[in-house]
Amino acid sequence: DAGVTQSPTHLIKTRGQQVTLRCSPKSGHDTVSWYQQALGQGPQFIFQYYEEEERQRGNFPDRFSGHQFPNYSSELNVNALLLGDSALYLCASSFGTVSYEQYFGPGTRLTVT
Amino acid sequence: AQKITQTQPGMFVQEKEAVTLDCTYDTSDQSYGLFWYKQPSSGEMIFLIYQGSYDEQNATEGRYSLNFQKARKSANLVISASQLGDSAMYFCAMREPSTNAGKSTFGDGTTLTVKP
């Protein structure tokens, strides 16, 4: 039973560029949430996708956008990268929108230079 | 707004001993959920334990237990019989009522080091 997978593992981008991160949820899960974790801090909620729609959103600018596909996988897009976007980006999946238990992927480490 | 405070940036414990990691929270909601996660150096967040605000008994999962004191707004994690593999960062988190764990508020974590 595959867990949550994310790609790529590491990424280096230049300020002003755009980046796309990908996430495949755990088998049987249909809800995907994205988090940003800066070094030395706890994860910050970006947004959540269910039934291919953004259901909830944290305090992040519109430069952060996402998408969910019919197979429940998801993408996180960040435009006009800033140095402050350097972080570990975590994807978490769960079943439905009421489940309290969610499983995290290993994350994508984004470095913006 | 919800807030989670973890006041111990780092903790040390001897192997096989018990350790308590502190977590206090602030919310005006009556219904909420509290979580603890473990994050090894690999980066993956591992779910450990969950406590609902209306649960009368403290949650337990194997060597993990959650000391829930609602009046004090604290949700401390107790790890019994520490093992070397328990060395990691530990996060306390809270979720809003009537939503799933997806929109959770996390503390800044406690780094636990288990000494042989």
Side-chain angles (χ1 to χ4, degrees):
Chain A
D1 180 18
V4 180
T5 59
Q6 293 185 242
S7 63
T9 304
H10 295 87
L11 203 52
I12 299 175
K13 289 287 189 178
T14 303
R15 189 171 45 185
Q17 286 187 318
Q18 178 263 346
V19 69
T20 297
L21 310 182
R22 296 176 176 81
C23 171
S24 291
K26 179 180 169 63
S27 178
H29 285 184
D30 57 7
T31 304
V32 173
S33 301
W34 286 92
Y35 290 84
Q36 179 195 67
Q37 185 179 15
L39 197 62
Q41 296 182 17
Q44 299 287 320
F45 174 76
I46 302 175
F47 43 54
Q48 180 186 72
Y49 277 84
Y50 172 70
E51 291 186 334
E52 301 180 48
E53 290 187 9
E54 182 182 298
R55 298 291 178 165
Q56 298 188 74
R57 189 177 184 92
N59 189 26
F60 279 80
D62 293 343
R63 297 188 297 108
F64 289 78
S65 63
H67 187 76
Q68 185 178 36
F69 299 93
N71 67 353
Y72 309 120
S73 66
S74 176
E75 288 182 349
L76 164 65
N77 300 293
V78 186
N79 294 323
L81 284 167
L82 303 174
L83 296 179
D85 295 332
S86 295
L88 178 68
Y89 288 84
L90 295 165
C91 166
S93 74
S94 57
F95 177 68
T97 59
V98 190
S99 168
Y100 69 80
E101 192 168 345
Q102 59 180 349
Y103 293 83
F104 282 82
T108 294
R109 174 72 64 184
L110 172 64
T111 302
V112 182
T113 62
Chain B
Q2 298 183 331
K3 183 176 173 62
I4 296 286
T5 302
Q6 294 180 253
T7 58
Q8 306 156 314
M11 288 283 287
F12 291 88
V13 65
Q14 208 67 37
E15 191 179 9
K16 299 182 183 178
E17 292 185 347
V19 63
T20 298
L21 306 184
D22 295 340
C23 172
T24 58
Y25 59 91
D26 188 21
T27 181
S28 57
D29 298 313
Q30 295 301 311
S31 176
Y32 48 87
L34 295 157
F35 303 78
W36 277 93
Y37 291 89
K38 173 184 178 181
Q39 187 177 42
S41 56
S42 61
E44 184 175 350
M45 299 284 283
I46 302 168
F47 167 78
L48 296 178
I49 197 166
Y50 166 81
Q51 177 88 38
S53 59
Y54 289 116
D55 294 340
E56 293 186 353
Q57 291 190 331
N58 289 338
T60 60
E61 290 286 348
R63 294 186 299 110
Y64 304 107
S65 60
L66 198 153
N67 185 2
F68 181 47
Q69 297 188 41
K70 195 170 183 177
R72 289 187 169 188
K73 294 189 174 180
S74 73
N76 298 338
L77 177 70
V78 180
I79 306 175
S80 62
S82 296
Q83 303 171 356
L84 295 178
D86 293 335
S87 293
M89 179 78 87
Y90 288 81
F91 290 96
C92 179
M94 161 183 270
R95 74 165 166 84
E96 298 179 349
S98 301
T99 64
N100 63 22
K103 190 175 182 180
S104 293
T105 300
F106 284 76
D108 284 337
T110 295
T111 301
L112 177 65
T113 302
V114 180
K115 295 181 174 181

